Amino acid sequence: MPVTAMQASAYLHHLHLHSPDPDRLAAFYASAMDMTATATGADSWSVSGPSRRLLISRGPAKRLAHAAFAVRDAEGLSGLRAHAQANGLEPKAAECPMFAAGAFSTVDPDENLILFGLAKHAPSEQDGRLRAPLQHLTLASRDVKAIENFYAGKLGFGVSDRVVRENGEVTTSFMRGNHEHHNLACFYQDRQGIDHHSYEAGEWDTLRDWCDWLAEKGLQLIWGPGRHGPGNNLFIFVADPDENWIEISAEIEVIHDREVKHWPHAERTLNLWGCAIMRS
Ligand SMILES: [Fe+2]
């Protein structure tokens, strides 16, 4: 029976990032995000920490090799595949070292490869490390509506909020596969690829601890601390050596049932406590 991404409880499980210097990028995440990097080939790495997982291999900066969403169980996975097929997609069998057999892939309108599967490993223990599970991916696209039509219209992600210009043009769409405000978002930019990816620290105290951790590593915050409008999450941003923006967030809104909200478009601004920042 077809089920939507929401019904399958889809959550962002891992990202496979391309990089012109995979060794450097893997070393950065191991240090900055307190993860363990394991070489899996000449130019490829598996990097993981508690509930945060990346694959890294050689390719152009700021592009995905793939993004991967895990779903709740085998019934959810087969149902989501049926839902995609019923909406005109042609899911293909996919293999990924982080997923059990039976995963499938599809390609979005910007040619991002997206995998859905069952997580092979249970979430790892914290081992005293700072909390920050991988939580959302934000795509950059010249056509936000096409991206929303694909993920919400064909795969059944829910739409939480949109940012809209006065002329009606949608510049941001926030989408979710579970009760968190967004696991997936798309910002209008004059390019395709990744805008940023985000880890959820849960509480402000933990976000503060991440600020201290990053300072000890000599990393400068490039934005924040602040609080977003859509999603209401506290945030900080740092950049990796490929200039991928990394967000660490806390207190992201939990949605059970509400109408889609439209927010007025505003260019990115310096944050001030209490102001509604439009990016998330
Ligand atoms: Fe974000």
Side-chain angles (χ1 to χ4, degrees):
M1 191 175 95
V3 303
T4 64
M6 287 272 286
Q7 290 166 330
S9 300
Y11 67 95
L12 185 61
H13 182 267
H14 67 269
L15 297 177
H16 185 167
L17 303 175
H18 275 315
S19 173
D21 191 341
D23 296 3
R24 180 181 67 170
L25 199 65
F28 173 86
Y29 279 94
S31 172
M33 294 304 297
D34 199 11
M35 298 159 86
T36 302
T38 305
T40 54
D43 271 334
S44 57
W45 294 86
S46 175
V47 191
S48 63
S51 298
R52 44 187 183 265
R53 310 165 193 90
L54 299 172
L55 299 170
I56 296 172
S57 61
R58 187 171 294 280
K62 297 167 79 78
R63 292 302 300 249
L64 284 172
H66 70 248
F69 290 86
V71 300
R72 57 177 163 79
D73 55 20
E75 183 188 6
L77 185 61
S78 63
L80 181 57
R81 187 173 188 146
H83 183 82
Q85 286 171 323
N87 284 283
L89 302 184
E90 296 178 356
K92 297 203 166 35
E95 289 195 16
C96 174
M98 292 192 173
F99 275 165
F104 71 85
S105 70
T106 184
V107 178
D108 78 13
D110 282 359
E111 300 190 351
N112 297 303
L113 180 67
I114 309 298
L115 269 58
F116 294 91
L118 298 176
K120 193 185 267 185
H121 305 292
S124 52
E125 296 297 321
Q126 282 292 124
D127 293 333
R129 297 182 184 189
L130 287 173
R131 170 189 160 82
L134 180 64
Q135 196 273 328
H136 69 258
L137 168 67
T138 299
L139 300 169
S141 178
R142 297 183 183 90
D143 193 340
V144 175
K145 257 318 219 185
I147 293 290
E148 182 186 296
N149 288 342
F150 178 82
Y151 289 97
K154 296 186 186 300
L155 289 164
F157 282 80
V159 178
S160 299
D161 288 342
R162 299 186 183 98
V163 177
V164 185
R165 290 187 196 275
E166 284 186 2
N167 66 5
E169 181 189 354
V170 175
T171 57
T172 308
S173 176
F174 296 96
M175 293 168 277
R176 68 185 192 277
N178 57 31
H179 292 299
E180 293 174 325
H181 180 273
H182 55 284
N183 319 103
L184 175 69
C186 181
F187 289 166
Y188 172 79
Q189 285 196 34
D190 191 20
R191 66 178 182 89
Q192 296 176 347
I194 307 169
D195 183 275
H196 69 269
H197 68 284
S198 183
Y199 302 82
E200 175 65 22
E203 299 177 344
W204 165 242
D205 283 0
T206 312
L207 194 61
R208 173 206 62 197
D209 292 346
W210 273 106
C211 291
D212 291 340
W213 169 272
L214 295 167
E216 284 174 16
K217 302 284 179 186
L219 292 168
Q220 186 98 33
L221 301 185
I222 56 173
W223 193 23
R227 188 187 285 280
H228 294 299
N232 199 40
N233 42 336
L234 301 159
F235 67 85
I236 56 172
F237 281 82
V238 291
D240 73 21
D242 288 354
E243 299 188 1
N244 293 304
W245 281 36
I246 301 164
E247 178 178 31
I248 305 176
S249 154
E251 300 184 5
I252 195 166
E253 181 185 355
V254 172
I255 296 178
H256 291 286
D257 188 16
R258 69 157 170 79
E259 297 295 313
V260 178
K261 276 191 221 169
H262 281 188
W263 298 73
H265 177 85
E267 298 302 331
R268 177 159 36 189
T269 59
L270 290 176
N271 65 300
L272 297 169
W273 282 107
C275 89
I277 300 293
M278 292 305 138
R279 290 174 56 96
S280 186

